[in-house]
Amino acid sequence: MFIIDRFEKDWVILEYGRKTFHLPRQLVPPEAGEGDVLKITVSLDADAAAKLKEDVRMLASRLFEK
Amino acid sequence: MSTVMASLKRIAVLILALLLLAGCIVIEYETPPPRADGGIEQFDSRSRESNPGLENGSAELKVHFLDVGQGDSILIQFPDGRNMLVDAGGNDDAATVVNYLKKTGVERVDYLVGTHPHEDHIGSMDTVINEFQIGEVIMPEVTSTTRTFRDVLEAIDRKGLRIRPARAGMIILEEGQLVARVLSPGGEGYDKLNDYSAVIRLTCGKVSFLLTGDAEALAEREILASGAAIKADVLKVGHHGSNTSTTAAFLKAVGPKYAVISVGVGNDYGHPHRAVLDRLKKQGVEILRTDKQGTVLFTTDGNVLSYTTEKQLTPGKNGT
């Protein structure tokens, strides 16, 4: 379970087991408060990754000596 | 034991009793000094004000602001050997807090205060409860849903302890020249856990400390409105130096000589905030920071107040 321990400036401090970690505040519903439990689902963004890969490949190809 | 030895011992006890009755012997109780490996000796002694009459370690109040990174933990050693711990750092600080208490000679925490249920204040409190004898547990009457908070409650329950609710006006102890009084929370139904922070004013003779937890502007206003005495020589700056706290009106009323900011190196929140540092400087308050100076130890006999820090400031490198 991901439980909101507190808010600090732009961050939400989540408790996961006895570990805490930060999530940007804008990812969390604005009505969320301390003690609320978040359901978190994570999915891959294949298009974004492909674009980044192509961008960096083009930059690197200019910089590596042939 | 032989009968001769036994009777000799009996005579010795009798003589001792007679001497005591005659007022010839005064038995002095001393608080145990920190052990040689306590780390206290490594503290920067240059910043210590001269008070040669107080070096024997007796009849002094010691207030340690532990370096637990981004979090709070304050150990108070009373002159009679009793101890109070106000907060216990975060989840990852258990070894730091427990080892510090042990090397300082603490076996029993007579008063254990959790200022409010945030992880950076109560994270290692369950371990402290499990590792030490505990007297009273004092916390504001509010809960959190976190595992961290539940673990503290379960540790309290396992030891058969109960919790004294921290409320404005509550007196934790009042004996001779020592007084520990709770100034906040003064109400209930607050939106944020920080607003529930147990704020404690600790007085030893003419010297006072104000320990604020993460109290923010709302709590500061309520404390001011309550009319309680809040002047203090040492202010534990609220909420790690966040701009949510240490309002100008509150700071003026406290009028501290020293401000301690308990804060982690390079924390993600920008603590302490520039505006708070500016307010402190404007009022001529000497700032001590655990991220730069490590653990800060204040010592007082009720008249003279002095401090030592674990690390020295390097001018131009980490000066405030």
Side-chain angles (χ1 to χ4, degrees):
Chain A
M1 268 202 294
F2 299 95
I3 304 170
I4 298 178
D5 181 65
R6 63 190 189 273
F7 296 84
E8 300 277 8
K9 226 180 154 208
D10 305 327
W11 300 98
V12 181
I13 290 82
L14 290 184
E15 187 205 56
Y16 179 62
R18 281 292 298 263
K19 288 285 174 193
T20 55
F21 70 99
H22 295 43
L23 214 56
R25 199 165 186 156
Q26 70 259 28
L27 289 183
V28 174
E31 69 272 24
E34 291 174 325
D36 282 351
V37 180
L38 297 181
K39 277 187 200 162
I40 297 182
T41 52
V42 181
S43 56
L44 289 175
D45 188 339
D47 292 346
K51 186 176 181 307
L52 288 176
K53 200 170 178 180
E54 180 56 17
D55 284 354
V56 79
R57 192 195 61 77
M58 278 166 56
L59 175 60
S61 69
R62 276 200 296 114
L63 299 175
F64 281 106
E65 291 175 354
K66 300 288 178 211
Chain B
M1 195 189 294
S2 72
T3 48
V4 178
M5 282 287 286
S7 54
L8 275 175
K9 198 179 171 194
R10 210 172 298 137
I11 289 164
V13 169
L14 192 65
I15 290 170
L16 185 63
L18 285 169
L19 285 170
L20 275 170
L21 278 172
C24 300
I25 297 177
V26 177
I27 295 178
E28 286 189 355
Y29 293 93
E30 284 192 359
T31 52
R35 289 184 200 161
D37 62 347
I40 305 289
E41 285 75 17
Q42 299 157 20
F43 278 25
D44 172 19
S45 58
R46 293 189 313 174
S47 57
R48 196 183 172 98
E49 290 167 19
S50 155
N51 57 345
L54 298 174
E55 295 300 317
N56 61 11
S58 67
E60 289 185 329
L61 176 80
K62 293 194 169 90
V63 181
H64 311 243
F65 294 87
L66 275 64
D67 177 11
V68 287
Q70 184 72 14
D72 272 20
S73 186
I74 304 157
L75 170 66
I76 298 146
Q77 294 179 286
F78 294 111
D80 67 358
R82 282 182 298 175
N83 303 291
M84 179 188 290
L85 185 71
V86 178
D87 289 333
N91 280 337
D92 297 333
D93 300 318
T96 303
V97 173
V98 167
N99 291 341
Y100 191 92
L101 265 59
K102 284 186 174 169
K103 78 187 183 187
T104 312
V106 173
E107 291 172 358
R108 178 181 159 89
V109 177
D110 299 275
Y111 306 94
L112 178 62
V113 180
T115 59
H116 64 295
H118 279 157
E119 176 269 340
D120 54 333
H121 291 253
I122 58 149
S124 295
M125 196 166 275
D126 55 339
T127 311
V128 168
I129 292 165
N130 295 336
E131 292 277 333
F132 296 90
Q133 298 171 47
I134 304 294
E136 293 182 9
V137 181
I138 299 160
M139 305 200 295
E141 199 165 2
V142 66
T143 60
S144 175
T145 55
T146 56
R147 183 77 240 169
T148 303
F149 182 69
R150 174 175 282 272
D151 284 348
V152 173
L153 294 188
E154 287 177 356
I156 290 167
D157 196 26
R158 268 199 306 275
K159 278 225 167 169
L161 297 163
R162 288 296 175 261
I163 305 163
R164 275 182 82 187
R167 287 192 196 107
M170 168 191 179
I171 290 169
I172 298 174
L173 90 161
E174 184 169 24
E175 285 170 28
Q177 63 168 2
L178 283 176
V179 184
R181 181 189 291 267
V182 177
L183 307 186
S184 195
E188 48 194 49
Y190 298 110
D191 286 340
K192 293 189 278 182
L193 289 175
N194 282 350
D195 294 326
Y196 284 92
S197 285
V199 175
I200 297 168
R201 184 167 181 260
L202 174 69
T203 300
C204 176
K206 295 174 183 162
V207 177
S208 289
F209 297 79
L210 190 63
L211 310 177
T212 55
D214 278 358
E216 300 188 4
L218 172 65
E220 293 180 0
R221 274 199 306 276
E222 290 187 357
I223 293 167
L224 285 173
S226 75
I230 61 169
K231 276 228 164 298
D233 302 276
V234 180
L235 170 67
K236 199 294 292 183
V237 175
H239 197 188
H240 322 286
S242 165
N243 200 20
T244 54
S245 310
T246 322
T247 53
F250 187 75
L251 180 59
K252 189 159 179 270
V254 176
K257 186 174 182 201
Y258 303 103
V260 180
I261 303 178
S262 194
V263 69
V265 178
N267 63 82
D268 292 328
Y269 325 123
H271 293 165
H273 291 153
R274 174 53 57 192
V276 171
L277 294 176
D278 288 345
R279 286 202 282 278
L280 291 166
K281 282 176 190 164
K282 197 176 158 196
Q283 201 168 302
V285 184
E286 184 174 340
I287 300 167
L288 301 161
R289 298 173 51 160
T290 59
D291 60 338
K292 293 178 187 293
Q293 285 144 295
T295 295
V296 181
L297 168 58
F298 282 90
T299 305
T300 184
D301 63 348
N303 283 303
V304 182
L305 175 66
S306 61
Y307 74 84
T308 56
T309 59
E310 185 184 7
K311 300 174 200 162
Q312 296 177 23
L313 283 179
T314 309
K317 189 184 168 204
N318 57 1
T320 57

